[in-house]
Amino acid sequence: MLEFIEIKNNKAHAKIALNGAHVFHYQRVGQKPLLYLSEISDLEEGKSIRGGIPICWPWFGKPEGKTLQHGFARTSKWTHTSTNKIDANTTEVVLKLKHSKESLKLFPYKFELALHVEVGENLKLELKTTNLDAKAFEITQALHTYFAVSHIGDVEISGLENKPYLDALTFKDEVQNGVITFNSEVDRVYQNVTNAVILKDKNRSLHVESFGSSSCVVWNPWIEKCSRMSAMKADAYKEFVCIESANAFEDKRIILANKSHTLKLVL
Ligand code: TA6
């Protein structure tokens, strides 16, 4: 069974797995869960959870020469270093991951990853990468957030109008025209994104704010791809959309020896 940390305070309820430092449940008091979790997700060590906020690190996607999609952090066991009740409404949890014999085979650098999760009226994640190596290294990454929605047909995403994006379905560079709505598979990596992205559906309007990032991924597998996805029911595409705070492609980050970079998400 999956080891996880459960947080309940006056404002919210959350669950965070040590496997991947994966926030797989966040629900404000009196509201529906904000994050989507597949009913048939794997919930076991070493497997990525389908839903919530997977951490894609130290690479996003499957760069040349890499076999593991979205890196190894999401299937690694992190250390729970602290839980701190800031006040009756806010709780902070810290988890860490350091290089190991296994990780050095996949990513030949010494590092420390620290995830600070603040659970309260807002959900805040800060992913800090520290380079403990003698030489600089390059990362791409994403907080691959699965948002629960009333129905994908109700969804409208704004804040990306006129932004350039790489369409991962055609590998073509495009520019966003108007708001994003869904009637087919969407898999896009937007660049030059330094403003909040707004997710609207029937029940709510949500600001997705990212810091230490200028790229944002928007994804929904739609019918055909969803039917082939692991740990997802065939019609699950109706229930979620991913808006991912990223450092992807040209937004990659070079981290010098003994330096750090922090990717932050505020919901
Ligand atoms: O972030 C979008 C994406 O890269 C899609 O291409 C899709 O593959 C998705 O991630 C899920 O990837 P996963 O490895 O979790 O099945």
Side-chain angles (χ1 to χ4, degrees):
M1 184 51 194
L2 199 66
E3 255 186 285
F4 66 91
I5 304 147
E6 186 158 14
I7 302 295
K8 278 188 182 163
N9 58 36
N10 290 355
K11 289 292 180 180
H13 179 205
K15 294 179 182 174
I16 309 165
L18 272 61
N19 181 66
H22 199 129
V23 181
F24 65 97
H25 180 71
Y26 172 71
Q27 183 170 11
R28 293 181 180 130
V29 170
Q31 295 187 16
K32 289 186 174 171
L34 202 76
L35 304 176
Y36 164 80
L37 177 64
S38 166
E39 295 152 53
I40 56 171
S41 176
D42 297 304
L43 291 175
E44 58 185 272
E45 311 287 342
K47 289 196 173 169
S48 185
I49 296 171
R50 180 62 76 192
I53 310 180
I55 294 175
C56 308
W57 191 98
W59 57 82
F60 175 79
K62 206 185 265 184
E64 218 177 304
K66 303 291 181 193
T67 51
L68 209 51
Q69 162 115 322
H70 294 326
F72 54 81
R74 63 176 178 166
T75 51
S76 300
K77 185 148 188 196
W78 293 52
T79 305
H80 173 209
T81 54
S82 66
T83 295
N84 177 21
K85 203 171 164 61
I86 296 172
D87 58 39
N89 301 329
T90 318
T91 313
E92 187 191 55
V93 177
V94 181
L95 302 105
K96 293 190 176 172
L97 181 71
K98 281 191 86 167
H99 55 276
S100 63
K101 254 193 356 238
E102 291 70 42
S103 76
L104 288 164
K105 292 177 198 148
L106 299 166
F107 182 69
Y109 304 98
K110 296 179 182 157
F111 66 85
E112 181 184 76
L113 270 185
L115 183 73
H116 288 239
V117 184
E118 192 179 294
V119 177
E121 180 67 42
N122 298 111
L123 177 66
K124 298 181 184 170
L125 274 70
E126 285 193 26
L127 180 64
K128 183 177 179 183
T129 301
T130 301
N131 180 348
L132 301 178
D133 211 284
K135 46 191 186 299
F137 61 59
E138 175 185 305
I139 60 164
T140 55
Q141 59 180 343
L143 298 170
H144 192 303
T145 312
Y146 288 74
F147 291 98
V149 296
S150 50
H151 187 285
I152 192 67
D154 304 331
V155 168
E156 198 181 270
I157 297 175
S158 56
L160 295 169
E161 297 87 329
N162 309 317
K163 297 287 181 189
Y165 67 89
L166 172 71
D167 187 329
L169 304 177
T170 62
F171 301 103
K172 285 198 180 130
D173 290 320
E174 309 279 0
V175 176
Q176 180 57 39
N177 181 15
V179 299
I180 304 170
T181 54
F182 296 80
N183 53 24
S184 61
E185 183 179 0
V186 167
D187 195 347
R188 301 173 183 170
V189 183
Y190 290 86
Q191 295 291 343
N192 308 343
V193 182
T194 52
N195 51 282
V197 173
I198 298 146
L199 166 62
K200 277 203 190 92
D201 70 359
K202 237 200 206 125
N203 306 324
R204 64 177 149 223
S205 171
L206 182 74
H207 272 59
V208 181
E209 288 185 279
S210 307
F211 304 88
S213 158
S214 62
S215 50
C216 173
V217 182
V218 175
W219 176 61
N220 183 278
W222 212 244
I223 300 166
E224 200 276 323
K225 179 147 187 195
C226 192
S227 65
R228 292 187 279 114
M229 297 287 307
S230 62
M232 207 181 256
K233 285 195 169 172
D235 62 354
Y237 71 95
K238 297 175 185 170
E239 300 167 26
F240 77 91
V241 68
C242 287
I243 302 175
E244 308 165 31
S245 314
N247 293 127
F249 300 118
E250 50 263 46
D251 186 26
K252 65 187 178 200
R253 301 297 162 126
I254 310 278
I255 306 179
L256 303 177
N258 306 313
K259 296 292 183 196
S260 302
H261 170 70
T262 299
L263 172 64
K264 181 175 177 181
L265 165 65
V266 179
L267 301 175

